[in-house]
Amino acid sequence: MNTRRTFVAGAGGVMVSHLASRHAMAANEKVRIAVIGNNGRGRDHVQGIMRLPDAEVVTLCDVDLNVANERAAAFEKRYGKKPQVVQDMRKVFEDKNIDAVTIATPNHWHSLAAIWACQAGKDVYVEKPGSHNIYEGRKMVEAGRPRASRALAVRPRPMMSGMRPPARTSSNSTSLLSLNSTSVSPFFTSLPS
């Protein structure tokens, strides 16, 4: 059965595979991920990412420093390493040591955070809704489109029991569905140039 947690882990796995194939990664190098928004879904993101062998959470970002520090303490206790704590997501986007971000902020921040992350050259996984309207969705696509290697994932509506995301669309792509100029795929998508 596909649950929210298994989907986050699966999308994270696809993102890691995408990054690993894009970069000639050394055997001991991991994809470094920042989780933006650490209440609710952000906790699931951390757990899903930390189960992946080729990825690690290195930064927790939350506007509420009390929440971020509490999550960082729990992270350190569980995983034995202390993540960086950041209050302003723009600092995360400026950090060249971060390969990807997951966005689990309140809904009204999803589009802008994803746009800023794409503009900063990060791979992005964002919770639903990706946008509140078509304009915001198109701006997300525009932000990612100039970077052929960028990945943008928007979590779909909860999957109906027994449904599975479609398989790869081509041998040279880790996307589950293709993105075109008129629609944003609800599954992990590599943005074409």
Side-chain angles (χ1 to χ4, degrees), residues 61-83:
C61 176
D62 201 287
V63 69
D64 185 341
L65 277 179
N66 293 326
V67 169
N69 287 323
E70 180 182 316
R71 299 293 181 261
F75 184 97
E76 185 174 20
K77 183 177 179 182
R78 182 168 183 175
Y79 301 108
K81 49 186 146 185
K82 186 167 177 62

Side-chain angles (χ1 to χ4, degrees), residues 7-190:
F7 183 81
V8 169
V14 173
M15 182 181 284
V16 169
S17 298
H18 173 74
L19 282 166
S21 67
R22 198 179 68 179
H23 302 294
M25 294 179 73
N28 62 350
E29 190 174 352
K30 292 186 174 195
V31 176
R32 298 171 52 85
I33 301 174
V35 176
I36 302 172
N38 300 128
N39 246 342
R41 294 291 300 139
R43 286 182 284 192
D44 294 336
H45 290 202
V46 169
Q47 291 172 4
I49 293 164
M50 293 305 289
R51 283 193 298 258
L52 301 171
D54 297 333
E56 65 181 336
V57 173
V58 295
T59 303
L60 298 178
C61 176
D62 201 287
V63 69
D64 185 341
L65 277 179
N66 293 326
V67 169
N69 287 323
E70 180 182 316
R71 299 293 181 261
F75 184 97
E76 185 174 20
K77 183 177 179 182
R78 182 168 183 175
Y79 301 108
K81 49 186 146 185
K82 186 167 177 62
Q84 177 183 10
V85 173
V86 177
Q87 186 174 26
D88 186 340
M89 71 176 82
R90 294 171 295 186
K91 299 290 184 202
V92 171
F93 305 140
E94 292 170 1
D95 188 340
K96 300 298 182 200
N97 293 316
I98 294 173
D99 301 308
V101 299
T102 69
I103 301 168
T105 58
N107 294 350
H108 60 276
W109 276 103
H110 289 181
S111 292
L112 186 56
I115 290 166
W116 283 347
C118 286
Q119 289 172 340
K122 309 296 183 201
D123 287 307
V124 181
Y125 173 82
V126 61
E127 281 295 320
K128 69 172 180 74
S131 62
H132 282 289
N133 55 55
I134 293 170
Y135 178 80
E136 286 180 353
R138 287 184 176 157
K139 290 301 175 187
M140 282 175 48
V141 171
E142 287 174 20
R145 186 147 291 174
R147 294 161 186 83
S149 60
R150 283 284 57 95
L152 172 64
V154 177
R155 188 179 81 77
R157 294 179 194 162
M159 300 273 227
M160 292 176 12
S161 180
M163 282 184 65
R164 298 285 184 263
R168 287 183 173 191
T169 55
S170 68
S171 61
N172 65 354
S173 170
T174 55
S175 359
L176 295 177
L177 292 177
S178 296
L179 180 74
N180 62 45
S181 60
T182 59
S183 67
V184 176
S185 166
F187 295 100
F188 192 84
T189 305
S190 291

